[in-house]
């Protein structure tokens, strides 16, 4: 089935910018006086990470992880991790969207067991609760979306549309 970009917009550039700055304020308050490591999941979270971090004042560090969701939709694995020690650090995972929860569940368990952070939380730009198969904590949430395949602001359909500054969705042609 070929998919095309829908005509509608779910969240405009202005709504996104407003919401991301609100989240940043909340995060800054919660981590006041602490060193914060933003651990971004590539590639979809790049615009969210870039906008969010510029609104957070204080000692903010960066780690990058690329994950692979397996084709069976049951498992996830790690493809790439940047160099940065997470041990005893306050780590905030930056995710583009939480869908089934499988990717995040795997990453949370892996980081907790292998990297021993002082604290571990999740900031997800989008949350699609209807698709959830594993319960995962989402401490900071940009927006909740319906069960559509959304694109834009870092989110792709077959690697396209990541550069759109707003959130829309794809639908059958
Ligand atoms: P999960 O493991 O929670 O099912 O989702 C893992 C990844 O699938 C997300 O980080 C994202 O990259 C991708 N994904 C899930 N739902 C969507 C969607 O609606 N649009 C796009 N572009 N990617 C999605």
């Amino acid at each position: 089935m070929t998919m095309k970009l829908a005509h509608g917009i779910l969240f405009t550039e202005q709504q996104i910018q407003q919401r991301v700055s609100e989240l940043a304020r909340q995060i800054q308050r919660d981590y006041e006086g602490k060193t914060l490591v933003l651990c971004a999941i590539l590639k979809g979270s790049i615009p969210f990470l870039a906008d969010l971090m510029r609104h957070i004042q204080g000692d903010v560090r960066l780690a990058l992880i690329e994950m692979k969701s397996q084709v069976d939709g049951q498992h996830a694995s790690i493809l790439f991790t940047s160099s940065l020690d997470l041990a005893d650090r306050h780590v905030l995972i930056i995710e583009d969207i939480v869908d089934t929860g499988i990717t995040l569940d795997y990453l949370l368990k892996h980081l907790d067991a292998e990297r021993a952070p002082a604290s571990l939380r999740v900031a997800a730009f989008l949350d699609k609760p209807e698709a959830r198969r594993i319960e995962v904590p989402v401490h900071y949430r940009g927006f909740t979306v319906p069960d559509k395949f959304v694109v834009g602001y870092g989110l792709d359909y077959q690697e396209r549309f990541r550069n759109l500054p707003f959130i829309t969705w794809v639908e059958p042609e």
Side-chain angles (χ1 to χ4, degrees), residues 69 95-104 128 148-151 155-156:
S69 311
E95 176 62 303
D96 54 358
I97 184 167
V98 185
D99 188 46
T100 62
I102 291 170
T103 308
L104 202 52
K128 202 195 285 180
K148 293 173 183 289
F149 197 83
V150 293
V151 294
L155 289 136
D156 73 307

Side-chain angles (χ1 to χ4, degrees), residues 25-36 57-58:
R25 270 200 298 279
Q26 204 184 333
I27 290 167
Q28 189 176 312
R29 269 200 309 273
D30 293 352
Y31 289 89
E32 188 88 63
K34 292 177 177 148
T35 297
L36 172 62
Q57 282 153 29

Side-chain angles (χ1 to χ4, degrees), residues 13-169:
E13 183 172 7
Q14 199 191 356
Q15 285 172 316
I16 292 171
Q17 294 303 323
Q18 161 85 25
R19 183 70 190 122
V20 171
S21 67
E22 280 168 15
L23 284 180
R25 270 200 298 279
Q26 204 184 333
I27 290 167
Q28 189 176 312
R29 269 200 309 273
D30 293 352
Y31 289 89
E32 188 88 63
K34 292 177 177 148
T35 297
L36 172 62
V37 180
L38 301 178
C39 180
I41 306 185
L42 298 173
K43 308 169 191 164
S45 70
I46 289 176
F48 180 40
L49 168 74
D51 287 340
L52 190 72
M53 67 186 292
R54 281 179 289 183
H55 287 289
I56 305 174
Q57 282 153 29
D59 189 354
V60 174
R61 319 269 172 107
L62 209 55
L64 303 171
I65 286 189
E66 188 172 4
M67 306 275 303
K68 183 174 168 58
S69 311
Q70 300 295 335
V71 273
D72 63 4
Q74 305 279 354
H75 300 94
S77 57
I78 293 177
L79 286 178
F80 163 82
T81 313
S82 67
S83 63
L84 189 67
D85 196 3
L86 303 183
D88 298 320
R89 294 291 192 190
H90 295 285
V91 176
L92 180 60
I93 293 175
I94 307 295
E95 176 62 303
D96 54 358
I97 184 167
V98 185
D99 188 46
T100 62
I102 291 170
T103 308
L104 202 52
D105 181 67
Y106 175 86
L107 185 63
L108 285 168
K109 285 179 179 151
H110 171 84
L111 291 182
D112 210 30
E114 307 288 326
R115 301 298 196 103
S119 71
L120 188 55
R121 286 185 168 185
V122 175
F125 175 62
L126 299 177
D127 188 2
K128 202 195 285 180
E130 285 167 54
R132 199 73 93 254
R133 285 162 58 185
I134 303 183
E135 273 321 304
V136 282
V138 179
H139 303 91
Y140 306 95
R141 172 186 295 102
F143 301 99
T144 300
V145 291
D147 199 2
K148 293 173 183 289
F149 197 83
V150 293
V151 294
Y153 198 64
L155 289 136
D156 73 307
Y157 171 66
Q158 297 181 343
E159 292 298 328
R160 295 174 64 203
F161 310 128
R162 293 191 196 276
N163 52 323
L164 298 176
F166 50 84
I167 292 289
T168 178
W169 67 97

